Amino acid sequence: MRSAFEAWAQKDGQIVRRREDKPDEYLVYETQRRWLIWQAALEHGKSPAGRKSAKEATAARAATASAQRPVAMATADAEVRNQVLNEVLDAFQGLGGGGGMDDIMHVIQGLKQKKAQSGE
């Protein structure tokens, strides 16, 4: 998942260098922000039964990081991911971007409420 994000971010001109003291975080704030949005978009695209708790997600990321290379995504999965990611990025653009991490949490909560109201 992280390598797919980094490939996408590099195509968009982002610097994907990670911090030496915290290898799970990116050196550039904007890249870190987009990484959090990417993860939220992937979680938003899953059915509620397919979502993981924070502990399960952390364990899954650690297991994935130790794997050699992630399996290439199917075309349909990539289309869904891009659609959801674009929805999330559009939501952030509507906020103006002055709130930093508060904006991220606001959008994530809004997406959760929207999905709950749609009955999924």
Side-chain angles (χ1 to χ4, degrees), residues 30-51:
E30 181 62 20
T31 306
Q32 181 66 24
R33 186 179 78 89
R34 287 178 182 232
W35 170 240
L36 293 174
I37 294 168
W38 178 279
Q39 291 176 310
L42 290 177
E43 281 298 310
H44 174 65
K46 292 181 183 176
S47 67
R51 292 187 181 142

Side-chain angles (χ1 to χ4, degrees), residues 1-115:
M1 176 170 66
R2 191 176 285 265
S3 62
F5 165 75
E6 288 177 354
W8 172 82
Q10 282 181 327
K11 281 195 285 184
D12 198 38
Q14 297 296 313
I15 299 170
V16 293
R17 187 169 169 220
R18 296 189 204 172
R19 294 177 56 164
E20 290 181 17
D21 60 333
K22 296 179 183 177
D24 289 339
E25 293 183 15
Y26 290 97
L27 190 59
V28 177
Y29 172 78
E30 181 62 20
T31 306
Q32 181 66 24
R33 186 179 78 89
R34 287 178 182 232
W35 170 240
L36 293 174
I37 294 168
W38 178 279
Q39 291 176 310
L42 290 177
E43 281 298 310
H44 174 65
K46 292 181 183 176
S47 67
R51 292 187 181 142
K52 299 176 183 175
S53 70
K55 286 184 180 181
E56 291 172 329
T58 301
R61 279 195 299 268
T64 302
S66 66
Q68 290 179 351
R69 277 196 155 300
V71 178
M73 273 194 259
T75 304
D77 291 342
E79 288 175 12
V80 169
R81 182 203 68 213
N82 286 336
Q83 177 188 356
V84 172
L85 182 61
N86 287 333
E87 288 177 19
V88 173
L89 289 173
D90 288 342
F92 277 104
Q93 288 176 345
L95 292 174
M101 297 304 278
D102 291 335
D103 285 349
I104 293 172
M105 295 309 297
H106 178 74
V107 168
I108 291 170
Q109 293 301 323
L111 291 171
K112 286 180 181 178
Q113 289 174 355
K114 186 176 179 183
K115 191 158 190 149

